[in-house]
Amino acid sequence: MTATTTSVDESEQLGPRPEPVSRKARFLRALVPATAAALSGVLLYVSFPPRTLWWLALPAFAVFAWCLHGRGWKAGLGLGYLFGLGFLLPLLVWTGVEVGPGPWLALAAIEAMFVALVGAGIAAVSRLPGYPLWAAALWIAGEAARARVPFSGFPWGKIAFGQADGVFLPLAALGGTPVLGFAVVLCGFGLYEIVRLARDARDPRAVRRGAAAAALLSVLVPVAGAFAARPLVSDDAEDGTATVAAIQGNVPQAGLEFNAQRRAVLDHHVRETERLADRVKAGKAKQPDFVLWPENSSDIDPFTNPDAREAIERAVKAIGAPISVGGVVESKDGKLFNEQILWDPEKGPTDTYDKRQIQPFGEYIPLRGVVGFFSSDVGMVRQDFSRGTEPGVFTMAGTEVGLATCYEAAFDWAVRDTVTHGAQIISVPSNNATFDRSEMTYQQLAMSRIRAVEHSRTVTVPVTSGVSAIIRPDGHVSQKTKWFTADSLVEEVPLRSSQTPATRFGTLPEGILVLIAAGGLGWAVTVGVRARRTRQGR
């Protein structure tokens, strides 16, 4: 009788047993956040160029925050991977334009792993006070890792590169791409935190003031910081002006096949330069102080091929100004370089810059033997390019011109050290013909706009087939060409020598944010261990 009474009492205390959750219900519970994570990644992609919907990055991160909040690290890992795929698969589709979907899918899958790890970390810190701060710092730590490994990194898709038209842009001058990206992500997570607190608090007085203040500051501080940084953005000419010409010669046809018509590409750039010279003589264009040709404008080595040399010299003498020529050059010891050559009308070739950040699987094949076992496409890169070692700054008609060749524009250090070595303007000679009419050229153009504000320099983007552009130090595109059209851009641009805080600080802001991320993750792990010990002690 006593035992029965005790059993009844315990039953009354415990209450009715919950009904078992059906398999369908469990599936739906998992499906909703998984779908939301993938779709928020797609939303983040839509915020990137060529669209000017930069503000969509904020709701994208707000939804991502909802997916991760309060979950375990394993769930964060999976949801982060889905977010990464939703973002990177459409963003990087251009990598498969000429070589098929295999490289594109592999690259997106590998890069999404970094986002997965970030998702696991964000889930771990999601219960900490000031959650948006730790989450945003973790995102930037993930970007820092992606920009360095594997194979010297792949920073394409940094959040900063989608903000060329946004209100946060001035922050690039304050702390470069890490600070700009951090502000955007912080604001997105802060928006979610505001909504969450408002939803969870039935009684407004029950909301913790500290949590509410932290959520509001997560939104207000980035916005206020962007407006406070606006005086750092200037279009003034500190060292006078220079008239620059950017030549887009166009290519015989899009795709990889154009490499088989290397002489035609060179002739196109010579012809367009001569056309500009005729316009100058007719008074229809201003005489340029110097001329910038794109990457691969002379894939025929002018140092060993007399015909190529003669064609370049003809163009240089016609325009009467030094030209930076993009060439493919083989050194005496057999090494191949993607090289910019400074060609003077009187002295001929006087200086060179060898591209330092060469593109894996495009300009060289890492682990060639292993990769070749899985794909025969490695044969398309018959000889690996070698890396340059010195920053590129040409003195052209008295102007210091910094050089960051194509892919290098995505790397913070490769652009910054041209400015620290005296560049008054920056040139990003590129060759986008391989990628046809994909979004790649606009994504790269947006990077150059960010670099213009980051270092307060005019940035010229001469491209073989488009879109070539001249970008003012405030990030404004003053001129640009059309796709697959021979054209030239001539403009008087400001020369500047002062350094922005971003230029002076270098990697310091990124390092601080990585330390903040590590601190938040360490705190979350400590809290988790203590909670586990407490449960075990009971």
Side-chain angles (χ1 to χ4, degrees):
M1 188 70 176
T2 304
T4 304
T5 304
T6 304
S7 178
V8 171
D9 290 343
E10 288 178 354
S11 176
E12 290 176 350
Q13 290 173 3
L14 293 174
R17 291 184 179 180
E19 294 183 7
V21 180
S22 67
R23 183 177 300 177
K24 182 179 179 180
R26 288 198 300 269
F27 174 75
L28 290 175
R29 284 184 184 179
L31 181 62
V32 170
T35 303
L39 291 179
S40 60
V42 175
L43 190 64
L44 180 59
Y45 154 72
V46 175
S47 75
F48 270 65
R51 296 157 295 276
T52 57
L53 304 173
W54 58 270
W55 53 272
L56 286 178
L58 303 182
F61 278 106
V63 175
F64 188 42
W66 172 80
C67 295
L68 296 176
H69 189 268
R71 296 186 181 274
W73 68 269
K74 291 181 181 179
L77 193 71
L79 293 170
Y81 195 70
L82 291 172
F83 181 81
L85 288 177
F87 171 46
L88 295 169
L89 275 172
L91 186 79
L92 302 179
V93 69
W94 53 267
T95 59
V97 167
E98 289 297 328
V99 293
W104 159 51
L105 295 174
L107 178 62
I110 292 170
E111 293 298 307
M113 291 180 183
F114 288 90
V115 184
L117 293 173
V118 169
I122 292 175
V125 302
S126 64
R127 293 184 177 88
L128 296 180
Y131 162 50
L133 172 67
W134 313 113
L138 278 164
W139 183 272
I140 299 305
E143 287 190 345
R146 281 206 306 123
R148 289 167 173 82
V149 293
F151 313 124
S152 299
F154 186 75
W156 218 278
K158 275 190 168 188
I159 299 305
F161 296 151
Q163 296 295 310
D165 293 292
V167 299
F168 297 101
L169 179 60
L171 290 171
L174 180 63
T177 60
V179 169
L180 173 53
F182 173 76
V184 174
V185 181
L186 178 63
C187 197
F189 275 88
L191 286 174
Y192 163 72
E193 191 71 355
I194 290 173
V195 173
R196 184 183 72 84
L197 291 173
R199 180 199 63 196
D200 292 349
R202 297 177 181 176
D203 181 359
R205 292 173 296 181
V207 177
R208 290 173 297 162
R209 292 182 180 180
L216 287 171
L217 289 173
S218 297
V219 175
L220 296 178
V221 169
V223 175
F227 281 96
R230 292 181 70 176
L232 297 175
V233 181
S234 175
D235 199 23
D236 295 339
E238 296 175 333
D239 305 318
T241 61
T243 302
V244 58
I247 302 296
Q248 179 176 300
N250 201 14
V251 297
Q253 62 185 36
L256 293 176
E257 293 80 5
F258 91 93
N259 284 312
Q261 305 179 49
R262 295 177 298 166
R263 181 53 195 260
V265 176
L266 172 58
D267 288 344
H268 281 206
H269 286 83
V270 170
R271 187 182 305 122
E272 189 57 35
T273 304
E274 290 174 334
R275 285 176 183 168
L276 175 59
D278 291 340
R279 289 171 54 212
V280 170
K281 290 177 183 177
K284 296 180 180 179
K286 191 173 182 179
Q287 169 66 44
D289 295 312
F290 53 89
V291 179
L292 302 169
W293 281 10
E295 177 189 33
N296 300 128
S297 47
S298 178
D299 274 352
I300 300 175
D301 188 343
F303 295 114
T304 59
N305 189 300
D307 289 345
R309 185 184 186 103
E310 188 277 331
I312 295 170
E313 288 183 342
R314 189 172 71 246
V316 174
K317 292 183 184 299
I319 196 64
I323 298 179
S324 177
V325 177
V328 174
V329 174
E330 186 172 351
S331 64
K332 293 180 180 179
D333 57 0
K335 292 182 178 180
L336 200 62
F337 291 96
N338 186 336
E339 190 167 85
Q340 289 291 311
I341 308 164
L342 175 55
W343 214 290
D344 186 82
E346 301 296 332
K347 301 176 183 178
T350 60
D351 200 358
T352 60
Y353 166 64
D354 298 323
K355 187 177 181 180
R356 294 171 292 165
Q357 188 68 46
I358 56 178
Q359 183 180 351
F361 305 102
E363 293 173 303
Y364 79 104
I365 304 295
L367 308 173
R368 183 180 285 268
V370 176
V371 175
F373 180 79
F374 295 97
S375 174
S376 60
D377 289 339
V378 297
M380 299 175 70
V381 182
R382 295 185 179 88
Q383 181 180 352
D384 291 342
F385 280 84
S386 296
R387 298 176 185 272
T389 56
E390 299 295 328
V393 180
F394 286 168
T395 302
M396 304 183 73
T399 298
E400 300 298 311
V401 181
L403 300 165
T405 305
C406 196
Y407 184 58
E408 293 183 318
F411 293 83
D412 294 348
W413 66 268
V415 181
R416 176 180 176 267
D417 69 0
T418 68
V419 179
T420 58
H421 281 78
Q424 295 169 296
I425 74 167
I426 299 169
S427 178
V428 183
S430 303
N431 173 22
N432 296 341
T434 302
F435 306 109
D436 201 5
R437 297 178 183 271
S438 69
E439 294 181 354
M440 181 269 187
T441 190
Y442 289 106
Q443 293 171 10
Q444 190 176 55
L445 182 61
M447 293 178 192
S448 296
R449 293 179 64 190
I450 299 299
R451 300 306 182 193
V453 175
E454 182 179 15
H455 301 293
S456 195
R457 296 291 188 274
T458 295
V459 177
T460 59
V461 187
V463 184
T464 50
S465 58
V467 174
S468 300
I470 295 178
I471 305 166
R472 308 288 288 194
D474 60 1
H476 170 67
V477 178
S478 56
Q479 293 189 63
K480 64 180 180 180
T481 64
K482 296 180 180 179
W483 260 325
F484 296 103
T485 303
D487 203 352
S488 58
L489 303 175
V490 182
E491 186 170 332
E492 185 178 2
V493 298
L495 303 179
R496 295 179 60 82
S497 56
S498 63
Q499 294 187 2
T500 64
T503 307
R504 294 195 299 269
F505 291 153
T507 60
L508 180 62
E510 184 180 60
I512 292 173
L513 291 171
V514 170
L515 288 176
I516 291 173
L521 202 56
W523 185 9
V525 170
T526 301
V527 170
V529 170
R530 288 176 179 173
R532 193 178 302 113
R533 287 176 178 174
T534 301
R535 289 195 299 270
Q536 291 173 349
R538 289 177 180 174

